[in-house]
Amino acid sequence: MYAADSETFSLVGIYGGTFDPIHYGHLRVAEELIEAVDLQSLRFIPAGLPRLRGKPNTSSFHRTAMLRAAIQNNPKFILDTRETIRPGESHSVVSLRELRDETERNLALCFIMGADAFIRFSEWYAWQEIFKLCHLIVVDRPGYLSTINNNTLPKALNKEFKQRQEFCIKSLKESSHGRIFIAPTTLLDISATTIRQNLLTGKSTRYLLPDTVLEYIRTNQLYSPGAE
Ligand code: ATP
Ligand code: MG
């Protein structure tokens, strides 16, 4: 599946996560990657039942609705609900297999993840198969990138990382899958955990996530004591 000499692949982004709720950390990274990595489009895929964490605080229905409210005015952002519809635990590899089959061959899929997710990547279901389906684009989160750069990744993951790391977009576009690119994006110390805690304790969450999402949270009384 590697391109011939003169051929290059166009890149499309896939952003998986719990999005409980979506916030400006996710959105700003997505916006910057469209430009910095030259992504044609970026597909948000909320997990139904994430495998490596407890049950989300809110239902797939609400998390999807918040995502929709957050991305509605961006023509390059796409909402993909396949994991919320599929029964059982959500596995990114299953979505990536499907997307690979559905996507034109001249497009390379780029799975986006924060550095906190990447350091646990070798715990993901069928993680090595993921390299056969897409590239990985890793973005920093405060305190995590040093783990990747200081050789303190789990051994098997570190080996893959060393073999697969690319340092420029041009090289990324020369393959359809299997490369890892650390993308420079604005470091934003925003997490859904902090937002949920603030909402629970009555602290402000303004400017951490879009007003449309906050409004949805208020209207549906999410993340308050006794909610869901
Ligand atoms: P939680 O605190 O509930 O884990 P979160 O803020 O980490 O929520 P997730 O839905 O778990 O959000 O994250 C989905 C993806 O987005 C992950 O790959 C995560 O690393 C990445 N991500 C989340 N927040 C940021 C951020 N502020 N900057 C960069 N990447 C982020
Ligand atoms: Mg997280």
Side-chain angles (χ1 to χ4, degrees), residues 14-169:
I14 314 287
Y15 204 171
T18 313
F19 303 116
D20 190 19
I22 181 142
H23 53 67
Y24 281 134
H26 304 121
L27 291 164
R28 182 64 205 170
V29 157
E31 177 72 2
E32 289 187 17
L33 288 178
I34 294 270
E35 272 180 6
V37 186
D38 189 22
L39 299 176
Q40 282 200 343
S41 61
L42 196 153
R43 186 176 284 263
F44 289 86
I45 310 188
L49 194 57
R51 192 173 75 98
L52 292 176
R53 55 188 286 159
K55 196 169 159 275
N57 284 59
T58 53
S59 64
S60 305
F61 176 84
H62 286 314
R63 288 181 293 112
T64 303
M66 290 187 280
L67 244 166
R68 189 176 291 114
I71 69 173
Q72 62 189 355
N73 292 327
N74 191 323
K76 294 218 167 174
F77 289 173
I78 298 163
L79 174 62
D80 184 327
T81 57
R82 70 184 68 220
E83 290 188 11
T84 65
I85 295 160
R86 193 185 303 140
E89 280 181 346
S90 302
H91 298 306
S92 298
V93 72
V94 177
S95 303
L96 286 162
R97 279 180 203 143
E98 291 173 1
L99 283 163
R100 193 54 279 176
D101 281 348
E102 293 163 16
T103 307
E104 292 157 48
R105 304 320 285 181
N106 63 328
L107 296 177
L109 306 178
C110 297
F111 193 89
I112 298 158
M113 63 175 77
D116 61 311
F118 181 66
I119 61 178
R120 295 189 65 188
F121 185 59
S122 49
E123 295 170 47
W124 288 28
Y125 177 74
W127 66 282
Q128 274 153 321
E129 188 188 333
I130 293 179
F131 292 123
K132 299 188 179 134
L133 299 166
C134 63
H135 297 311
L136 294 191
I137 295 187
V138 181
V139 295
D140 197 9
R141 285 189 89 169
Y144 284 98
L145 202 59
S146 54
T147 309
I148 299 175
N149 289 332
N150 293 340
N151 285 328
T152 43
L153 286 173
K155 210 170 159 198
L157 179 59
N158 199 41
K159 188 166 167 245
E160 298 288 355
F161 177 58
K162 291 278 176 266
Q163 286 168 3
R164 298 179 182 279
Q165 188 175 17
E166 289 300 351
F167 294 90
C168 67
I169 308 300

Side-chain angles (χ1 to χ4, degrees), residues 19-22 57-72 199 205 209-224 227-228:
F19 303 116
D20 190 19
I22 181 142
N57 284 59
T58 53
S59 64
S60 305
F61 176 84
H62 286 314
R63 288 181 293 112
T64 303
M66 290 187 280
L67 244 166
R68 189 176 291 114
I71 69 173
Q72 62 189 355
L199 287 164
T205 49
L209 68 174
D211 286 345
T212 48
V213 178
L214 259 181
E215 235 171 82
Y216 185 93
I217 290 172
R218 284 203 195 103
T219 308
N220 293 280
Q221 298 179 330
L222 306 180
Y223 308 111
S224 55
E228 293 215 28

